[in-house]
Amino acid sequence: MTLTAFDGNPLYTGADWDYDKVRRVYDAIEKVAVGEMGLDVYTNQIEVITSEQMLDAYSSIGMPLFYKHWSFGKHFARDEAMYRKGQRGLAYEIVINSNPCISYIMEENTMTMQTLVIAHAAFGHNHFFKNNYLFRQWTDADGILDYLSFAKAYITQCEERYGHAMVERVLDAAHALMNHGVHRYPRRRGPDLRNEEKRARERLEHAERTFNDLWRTVPTKAGGASPLSDRDRRRAVLELPEENILYFLEKKAPRLQGWQREILRIVRHVAQYFYPQRQTKVMNEGCATYCHYRILSTLHERGQLTDGAWMEAMHSHTNVVFQPDFDDRRYGGINPYALGFAMMQDIERIATRPTDEDRVWFPDLAGKGDAMGALRDAWANFRDESFILQYLSPAIIRKFRLFHVADDASDPEMRVAAIHDERGYRAVRQALARQYDIAWAEADIQIVDVDLVGDRKLMLEHHVMNQILLDEEEARPVMQHLADLWGYEVVLAEVETPGGTPLRRIAVSPRVVLGGG
């Protein structure tokens, strides 16, 4: 029997919260999330913070125990000014992919908002972090907090020993290259961040006992004999091409000192930690939004949430999943909360109440009945691109009124390439999925050669897609940071095929040799 909103005893009444209410609500949410929905979560750690602390967490990309950098202060000042002027709001929560999973909730929230964000973050995001294959493959939830503590202490020690200005220059350069500091394909050994501090000490001791024999073989003058003069052999020794630029600099840059290499390694680990989040925005937010909606609606049906609390929660929920039309001034692209939540609800509908159309498009899912099983499987085994390719239905395409526009730079007119018919649905699904493909959306730049025999020039290639070249005004400052870290000239060739004729070359010489002589 379905209970009405007042058949049971409400978990709380009124807007004010206290820790007893939070504990009572948490226990009720856990019974629904774990006991009925089958969510599998890390141990939760709920921390209450002020709005200023939330702004501080914003500035340091939501990470606790993070090292200091001027850019974080800049972000804090900007966000605080906009918040005080009422030009922007704050997130109700920030959640950390760690074990235990840390969820920060604001003390300014009402009790209903605390309820919503616990369901959203401590159970929705938490389940996704623990079970999605990208997070399992690329992140070390058990070790990230210990590693951040080590990183903060290590950079502080470097500032004390080598000077704040020198450390800041290295961090500036590393942050500029951060998006090109990830491994896109899994290596043999998974991350183990708990032992990074020990390995850092071992690397330092090893560097003091040995030297890089590769660079001993490099002549100081151009034209000298070298066993590495053959290009193919040289590339094999240096393991080129290499798309992880920070990794290559950490291992091969001839002038960097040991502590500078360790800072590059720290920034690289942080970039790798966020790599899955860049590929799962729709799924992650869709999972968390679906979870909080289902949990709160269940509590409301059983009388554990009052009608007033339910209305407040749904007011916030509808704001989160609102999708402005393309001609609305508020339009900023497809809202990942809106698309993700709609697709999660659609999977539930297809599994339990399919139409004839659904049976044709999703024969393995339609009418199977186990909606939560299907959702848990999707959350575990897909990223945004593959999720959309697999689960975006004609019903959602019609609901969002999606169509495909072909915009060719060589054609003066845009053309509608796909509409709402069977072929059009597939074309729209494929085109939308491509927008979430990180390999398609981000520039493919690889280190392809180093002229060790001559001037040690670092050669990179940008594999151009759709004839779209890099914005030179943005590319040059980033290349300047790369040249400063490398210590010699850096040349970027933009090519349509690997090793092909360059469409354009950009060359930058070091301004400041960060590694010294």
Side-chain angles (χ1 to χ4, degrees):
M1 180 178 68
T2 300
L3 301 178
T4 66
F6 296 102
D7 283 341
N9 295 318
L11 295 167
Y12 63 88
T13 56
D16 295 336
W17 66 271
D18 58 46
Y19 290 102
D20 288 337
K21 292 180 181 178
V22 169
R23 165 54 67 183
R24 195 157 57 245
V25 161
Y26 178 91
D27 291 341
I29 290 173
E30 185 177 40
K31 288 180 181 178
V32 177
V34 177
E36 299 177 26
M37 296 173 62
L39 301 187
D40 176 24
V41 297
Y42 294 123
T43 300
N44 273 305
Q45 180 175 324
I46 312 294
E47 298 194 6
V48 182
I49 60 176
T50 65
S51 58
E52 184 165 327
Q53 289 172 317
M54 182 67 78
L55 285 164
D56 190 49
Y58 270 22
S59 68
S60 58
I61 54 179
M63 301 297 290
L65 301 172
F66 214 40
Y67 56 78
K68 298 178 181 178
H69 187 251
W70 64 267
S71 63
F72 302 153
K74 177 182 176 181
H75 294 157
F76 179 88
R78 180 201 63 193
D79 292 340
E80 183 184 37
M82 295 180 67
Y83 175 63
R84 302 305 178 198
K85 292 177 182 178
Q87 295 175 346
R88 68 165 298 173
L90 291 181
Y92 296 112
E93 43 74 28
I94 287 180
V95 58
I96 308 299
N97 171 29
S98 60
N99 186 18
C101 181
I102 302 175
S103 299
Y104 296 102
I105 60 178
M106 282 205 302
E107 67 177 14
E108 288 87 346
N109 290 347
T110 65
M111 186 59 222
T112 295
M113 293 313 304
Q114 307 295 35
T115 304
L116 187 151
V117 299
I118 289 172
H120 181 92
F123 289 92
H125 282 308
N126 189 344
H127 173 88
F128 194 84
F129 289 149
K130 186 177 181 182
N131 293 276
N132 181 263
Y133 81 100
L134 280 176
F135 287 88
R136 293 168 65 92
Q137 187 177 82
W138 288 116
T139 64
D140 179 12
D142 292 328
I144 185 62
L145 297 179
D146 290 339
Y147 183 69
L148 291 176
S149 179
F150 152 71
K152 181 177 181 179
Y154 185 87
I155 290 178
T156 300
Q157 292 168 8
C158 290
E159 289 174 338
E160 294 172 353
R161 183 170 181 179
Y162 304 105
H164 180 82
M166 179 59 76
V167 173
E168 187 175 88
R169 290 193 193 104
V170 177
L171 282 174
D172 287 349
H175 284 181
L177 297 163
M178 202 169 185
N179 282 352
H180 300 282
V182 297
H183 292 302
R184 298 191 182 191
Y185 304 98
R187 300 293 174 111
R188 291 181 180 178
R189 182 173 57 84
D192 178 14
L193 297 181
R194 284 190 183 277
N195 294 318
E196 270 301 305
E197 184 173 6
K198 177 183 176 182
R199 287 199 292 269
R201 290 195 302 269
E202 292 173 350
R203 284 191 293 271
L204 180 60
E205 293 170 359
H206 177 74
E208 291 173 349
R209 294 193 306 267
T210 63
F211 59 95
N212 191 331
D213 192 61
L214 171 66
W215 295 103
R216 181 186 63 78
T217 65
V218 178
T220 56
K221 296 182 180 179
S226 170
L228 302 179
S229 58
D230 179 77
R231 182 176 185 270
D232 291 336
R233 191 174 167 197
R234 180 172 68 239
R235 281 161 54 94
V237 170
L238 294 172
E239 300 179 325
L240 297 177
E242 175 59 68
E243 65 180 355
N244 191 330
I245 295 175
L246 284 182
Y247 176 80
F248 184 85
L249 293 173
E250 174 200 331
K251 301 299 183 183
K252 310 295 185 183
R255 291 185 165 183
L256 290 183
Q257 301 175 37
W259 66 271
Q260 294 170 318
R261 298 180 195 277
E262 195 63 43
I263 288 179
L264 295 189
R265 187 177 181 87
I266 288 170
V267 174
R268 181 169 64 81
H269 276 314
V270 173
Q272 196 73 60
Y273 170 90
F274 283 106
Y275 181 59
Q277 300 194 29
R278 289 159 53 195
Q279 299 181 76
T280 56
K281 183 69 173 177
V282 170
M283 289 191 68
N284 201 344
E285 298 300 351
C287 169
T289 305
Y290 175 87
C291 287
H292 84 231
Y293 179 84
R294 177 158 174 177
I295 291 168
L296 267 61
S297 62
T298 299
L299 295 179
H300 177 241
E301 289 172 0
R302 295 174 179 173
Q304 294 178 284
L305 286 187
T306 65
D307 286 342
W310 172 247
M311 292 297 293
E312 180 186 350
M314 287 306 98
H315 176 74
S316 174
H317 171 84
T318 52
N319 286 338
V320 165
V321 300
F322 173 65
Q323 175 61 61
D325 292 332
F326 75 94
D327 55 352
D328 191 309
R329 292 179 60 185
R330 296 166 292 181
Y331 180 78
I334 295 178
N335 179 357
Y337 293 84
L339 180 62
F341 177 66
M343 290 186 67
M344 303 311 168
Q345 282 197 312
D346 199 50
I347 290 172
E348 178 185 5
R349 180 192 61 79
I350 293 170
T352 56
R353 304 180 306 280
T355 63
D356 291 340
E357 180 182 60
D358 297 325
R359 297 184 189 280
V360 173
W361 280 75
F362 306 99
D364 295 333
L365 172 62
K368 299 303 180 183
D370 184 10
M372 279 309 306
L375 285 166
R376 290 194 301 268
D377 179 70
W379 296 336
N381 296 307
F382 293 88
R383 59 180 181 174
D384 285 349
E385 175 211 4
S386 56
F387 177 69
I388 290 171
L389 273 175
Q390 178 70 24
Y391 290 105
L392 185 68
S393 70
I396 294 297
I397 293 174
R398 291 192 294 268
K399 178 180 179 180
F400 279 75
R401 294 186 287 181
L402 300 175
F403 58 93
H404 182 211
V405 175
D407 186 8
D408 191 333
S410 62
D411 191 339
E413 296 181 351
M414 292 192 298
R415 176 173 55 87
V416 177
I419 57 173
H420 292 177
D421 54 27
E422 184 171 354
R423 181 179 296 178
Y425 290 138
R426 298 187 187 279
V428 168
R429 183 163 68 175
Q430 186 171 13
L432 183 61
R434 178 168 285 178
Q435 292 186 20
Y436 293 94
D437 182 356
I438 199 167
W440 180 270
E442 296 189 355
D444 180 9
I445 299 174
Q446 300 183 24
I447 298 172
V448 295
D449 197 11
V450 181
D451 187 7
L452 299 177
V453 175
D455 53 13
R456 304 183 185 180
K457 186 183 298 181
L458 187 66
M459 310 296 295
L460 295 89
E461 281 187 355
H462 168 221
H463 300 155
V464 176
M465 299 184 70
N466 293 335
Q467 301 179 334
I468 301 175
L469 301 178
L470 297 174
D471 185 330
E472 188 169 353
E473 291 186 3
E474 294 185 3
R476 278 192 174 277
V478 177
M479 288 185 61
Q480 185 66 67
H481 285 298
L482 175 56
D484 292 346
L485 288 170
W486 180 248
Y488 299 93
E489 186 179 9
V490 175
V491 178
L492 173 68
E494 298 193 82
V495 299
E496 288 189 311
T497 58
T501 303
L503 302 174
R504 181 177 65 180
R505 289 183 185 270
I506 303 175
V508 176
S509 297
R511 177 186 53 202
V512 178
V513 180
L514 295 177

